[in-house]
Amino acid sequence: MLAVINDSEHVLSYSEIKGEIGKVCSRVTLYRVLERLEQEGVMYKIADVDGTFRFGSQSPKDNNTSYVHFSCVACRNVTKLKEDHVTFSSLSKHQVHFSQITMAGICPQFKKSTQT
């Protein structure tokens, strides 16, 4: 299961993970394993623009609590962007523990496929 998440170019929804692993485990077991992996810090969970939870890999040693993603409204893929830290000058006096930013639009792959 972790290999499916690690090998993906996108952060995956529960149903996408279930589709990849097939009938290896029950729905309840899959949810429990995903929750456990998140608690152990080997993956993280975000909500996409539709409210669907998606799962991405991270190193347990990674203390990054800021995630920036792009959600394609056409192909429905959600991609973790390379930018792993976003700052806002208006938050300079705040102690931020976690941030999740998801931008939405048309991804380059979908745009390119529609121009041919």
Side-chain angles (χ1 to χ4, degrees), residues 52-81:
T52 302
F53 286 116
R54 293 181 170 269
F55 303 89
S57 63
Q58 69 179 12
S59 166
K61 297 176 183 177
D62 183 9
N63 61 1
N64 182 20
T65 56
S66 298
Y67 299 101
V68 182
H69 292 84
F70 185 85
S71 180
C72 180
V73 297
C75 69
R76 312 313 277 175
N77 285 326
V78 179
T79 307
K80 183 177 180 183
L81 302 178

Side-chain angles (χ1 to χ4, degrees), residues 85-98:
H85 186 72
V86 178
T87 58
F88 296 93
S89 58
S90 60
L91 292 175
S92 63
K93 295 180 183 178
H94 296 75
Q95 184 180 11
V96 177
H97 291 260
F98 176 81

Side-chain angles (χ1 to χ4, degrees), residues 18 25-26 28-29 38 50 52 57 63 80 85 99 102-103:
K18 183 71 172 160
C25 61
S26 71
V28 173
T29 301
E38 182 183 9
D50 295 323
T52 302
S57 63
N63 61 1
K80 183 177 180 183
H85 186 72
S99 70
T102 303
M103 294 174 251

